[in-house]
Amino acid sequence: MKKHPSIITAAVLLLAIICVAITSKYNSSRFVNEVSIPFQANWVYNWDGEKQQPLACIPANLSDGKKKGQNLYLSTSLPDFKTEGPILLLRTSFQKIKVFIDDEPCYEYGFSKREHMGKTVGSGYHFVKLPFDFAGKKLTVVFNSDYNDNGIINEIRIGSLSGHIIYILKSGFLTFAIPIFLFIISIIMFFLFVPIAYFKQIKPDVIY
């Protein structure tokens, strides 16, 4: 029987060569000093029409199961933190979000139906770019959800974009790795289906 090289093996090797070629173009040392640290500050919070209260720590769950559709306001002063391209990282749990710096809006997601699919927003990470002179300014984050459990506050971090991305990848490696692996395999199999079917028609002696 005439031997033929495995198309799948060749495709995997080609993918590996492409990945090495892409990563070799970037200097990995640029990520060494990138940071993403928990933003533990003197937070205060309040619901619509209620008095401000100090927040002991973050993460926290401030919901009593009766806050559906209400705004939860979380406020503090931004620290004197030095990094290139400062970014605030927030994670929401089925919540809409608005961010204000000195009462000026700088970020919003979920309040417009065009920004998400379905009747409600999902959970996700949000990267909020801070101005270069943010130190000492008032930060206000507004959460709102269409669910009764509306008071979930996940960890808030401050740092650089690449630092946050590295943190997300490290903290949820399997969550990201498995779907990406399955996606790559599905793409490979999709593009290999046509040539495999073609060879099977004209080369009936080839075993796959």
Side-chain angles (χ1 to χ4, degrees):
M1 183 178 64
K2 188 177 180 181
K3 295 182 179 180
H4 297 272
S6 171
I7 298 178
I8 295 179
T9 303
V12 172
L13 290 175
L14 179 61
L15 180 64
I17 293 172
I18 293 173
C19 290
V20 172
I22 292 174
T23 54
S24 64
K25 294 176 63 179
Y26 297 93
N27 184 1
S28 59
S29 63
R30 65 178 294 186
F31 296 103
V32 172
N33 297 322
E34 301 295 353
V35 293
S36 174
I37 61 174
F39 186 11
Q40 297 290 353
N42 296 320
W43 293 98
V44 294
Y45 76 95
N46 68 284
W47 294 93
D48 281 330
E50 296 184 6
K51 185 179 178 180
Q52 279 191 342
Q53 302 179 56
L55 181 61
C57 64
I58 292 177
N61 190 343
L62 306 176
S63 177
D64 57 4
K66 301 177 182 179
K67 302 297 185 181
K68 178 179 179 180
Q70 293 190 35
N71 289 325
L72 169 61
Y73 299 87
L74 188 66
S75 301
T76 191
S77 294
L78 287 165
D80 186 7
F81 181 82
K82 303 297 183 183
T83 187
E84 183 178 353
I87 299 286
L88 198 66
L89 176 66
L90 303 106
R91 177 168 173 76
T92 52
S93 299
F94 303 100
Q95 296 159 310
K96 309 166 192 174
I97 185 174
K98 289 182 180 179
V99 180
F100 299 84
I101 296 179
D102 275 354
D103 298 324
E104 292 292 330
C106 67
Y107 183 86
E108 177 180 323
Y109 180 79
F111 287 88
S112 172
K113 291 185 177 180
R114 295 181 179 180
E115 294 174 336
H116 59 87
M117 299 177 63
K119 295 182 179 180
T120 59
V121 296
S123 300
Y125 288 98
H126 304 267
F127 300 87
V128 182
K129 186 176 181 180
L130 299 175
F132 71 94
D133 57 344
F134 65 87
K137 292 187 176 182
K138 179 184 177 183
L139 170 69
T140 302
V141 184
V142 183
F143 298 97
N144 187 293
S145 178
D146 295 320
Y147 294 95
N148 288 324
D149 194 11
N150 185 24
I152 297 175
I153 301 177
N154 297 290
E155 185 179 34
I156 299 175
R157 302 181 74 88
I158 189 170
S160 61
L161 178 60
S162 55
H164 290 324
I165 293 174
I166 292 172
Y167 161 76
I168 293 171
L169 291 175
K170 286 182 178 179
S171 61
F173 177 76
L174 289 179
T175 304
F176 285 91
I178 292 176
I180 291 174
F181 174 76
L182 294 176
F183 175 75
I184 292 175
I185 293 299
S186 63
I187 292 296
I188 292 174
M189 296 306 297
F190 175 79
F191 283 104
L192 291 181
F193 174 78
V194 174
I196 288 176
Y198 175 76
F199 275 106
K200 202 167 185 179
Q201 290 179 2
I202 65 171
K203 302 286 186 179
D205 60 330
V206 177
I207 299 176
Y208 294 98

